[in-house]
Amino acid sequence: MLDQIKGLHHVTSMASDARQNNDFFTRKLGLRRVKKTVNFDAPDVYHLYYADEVGTPGTVMTYFPFPNIGKGSPGTGEVGRTVFSVPAGTLGYWEKHFAEHGVTGLKRETLFGENRIDFDGPDGDSFALVEVKDDKRLPWLKGGIPGEDAIHGFHSVSLRLKDAGATEELLKFMGYEVIDTAGNVKRMAVKDGNGADFVDIETLPGVSYANLGAGSVHHVAFAVENRAKQLEVRKALMDTGYQVTPVIDRDYFWAIYFRTPGGVLFEVATNEPGFDRDEDTAHLGEALKLPTQHAHLRPWLEKNLQPLGD
């Protein structure tokens, strides 16, 4: 069993409109945009990152907003819901805030003894806020949400799978253990994590596979401290039979990717070097930052990328 993985690092999803996406996360959820860059493989498309003040691993929601992309179809083989941590007793504030800002899909429920509110993103993305007592992570305090109510980072992701068995065994190999079960949902947790410690597995054998599109999660990333730890994880996964990509430099972290038995794309990302490698902390996410291989496209991109309205 691996011990290098310390919880979630980031979740990356698809969107249909960059400006709408930016507005939702920075104004309606009160997160900080910590990076404005472009997709490495499609440089005419933004890659937007939202997080706490500095982009701490375990707080980072990222998006590829592809103009005119079709809407995704929910199903199995995907991350079904991304869940954020908020302080205990704050769901009343969020219900009122969401209602005032036209956020849809609001539903209160209790799962694993935790109070939560489900809600939809602008492309039908599935989210929830969960009340967590004594989350020590610090929220972004300049996003228009009172500090005592603000999001502290991720709580969990929920995987929707036809058959959970092989993915559960994979997560156990990655350092997770089953800590609770509620109906067809198993909760797994990693010890000594970064606060974004949980993965829920929902087994839905009769549900068809999801189709990727706007509102879909593209991949979920798990955090390791550094490149040495990442290489240890890569070797262990390959020795177990997984097809893992070489290490890829993503400017703000190094990444490896592999497809899980249930169909979900997993990434293992390093905590280093961080989002301040090319901007000081006071100005994160303000300027358009380009990967070196796309720097020559700056004049065209600055003219043709959709203005974000901030």
Side-chain angles (χ1 to χ4, degrees):
M1 186 175 75
L2 302 176
D3 62 3
Q4 296 93 337
I5 291 170
K6 300 302 180 184
L8 302 178
H9 186 285
H10 65 269
V11 177
T12 294
S13 293
M14 317 286 280
S16 61
D17 185 273
R19 186 167 185 167
Q20 179 186 56
N21 183 260
N22 181 76
D23 177 79
F24 184 82
F25 283 93
T26 61
R27 294 182 173 86
K28 294 177 182 176
L29 292 189
L31 300 179
R32 185 182 193 187
R33 192 182 69 224
V34 294
K35 197 61 58 180
K36 180 172 65 173
T37 182
V38 296
N39 188 315
F40 273 78
D41 302 314
D44 58 331
V45 174
Y46 278 120
H47 194 176
L48 303 175
Y49 294 76
Y50 312 100
D52 65 358
E53 181 176 6
V54 297
T56 305
T59 75
V60 186
M61 188 81 209
T62 99
Y63 269 87
F64 301 135
F66 283 89
N68 304 314
I69 187 175
K71 189 172 182 179
S73 299
T76 53
E78 68 171 352
V79 174
R81 192 176 300 277
T82 303
V83 184
F84 297 93
S85 167
V86 295
T90 64
L91 290 188
Y93 166 83
W94 282 101
E95 280 183 319
K96 183 174 183 292
H97 174 77
F98 284 158
E100 290 173 348
H101 288 82
V103 177
T104 61
L106 303 184
K107 177 186 175 184
R108 278 257 204 161
E109 61 178 341
T110 301
L111 184 64
F112 298 115
E114 296 172 328
N115 296 322
R116 56 191 278 162
I117 182 171
D118 298 340
F119 63 99
D120 295 336
D123 287 298
D125 328 47
S126 294
F127 295 114
L129 301 179
V130 170
E131 291 186 337
V132 177
K133 186 178 181 181
D134 298 327
D135 189 332
K136 303 302 183 186
R137 297 174 294 172
L138 299 177
W140 172 235
L141 298 177
K142 298 179 182 179
I145 305 296
E148 63 269 21
D149 301 305
I151 290 170
H152 285 252
F154 292 126
H155 170 276
S156 59
V157 292
S158 176
L159 310 182
R160 293 183 186 141
L161 306 176
K162 281 185 175 290
D163 184 343
T167 300
E168 180 182 331
E169 291 305 310
L170 167 63
L171 285 165
K172 287 178 179 177
F173 181 69
M174 292 169 62
Y176 286 76
E177 61 178 326
V178 177
I179 61 168
D180 208 348
T181 302
N184 65 333
V185 182
K186 283 187 178 180
R187 170 154 292 178
M188 304 188 73
V190 66
K191 293 181 179 178
D192 303 318
N194 58 15
D197 300 338
F198 303 106
V199 175
D200 292 343
I201 300 180
E202 184 177 8
T203 304
L204 299 165
V207 175
S208 60
Y209 287 107
N211 289 317
L212 186 69
S216 303
V217 172
H218 185 270
H219 64 267
V220 56
F222 296 83
V224 291
E225 182 179 354
N226 54 43
R227 296 183 72 185
K229 299 291 186 184
Q230 184 184 61
L231 289 174
E232 293 171 4
V233 171
R234 183 175 186 270
K235 182 179 186 304
L237 288 168
M238 293 183 70
D239 288 347
T240 309
Y242 285 94
Q243 301 297 312
V244 187
T245 68
V247 176
I248 302 171
D249 183 358
R250 295 303 194 195
D251 282 351
Y252 311 108
F253 47 86
W254 283 272
I256 57 174
Y257 303 87
F258 64 103
R259 187 70 63 176
T260 66
V264 182
L265 183 61
F266 278 9
E267 175 184 344
V268 178
T270 61
N271 291 351
E272 59 179 5
F275 292 95
D276 61 353
R277 67 171 293 273
D278 58 1
E279 292 180 293
D280 66 80
T281 300
H283 297 285
L284 289 178
E286 295 179 6
L288 177 64
K289 296 296 180 180
L290 298 177
T292 301
Q293 63 267 41
H294 299 319
H296 67 286
L297 298 175
R298 179 174 292 278
W300 186 89
L301 291 171
E302 289 182 341
K303 180 180 179 180
N304 286 280
L305 285 171
Q306 181 186 13
L308 297 181
D310 56 5

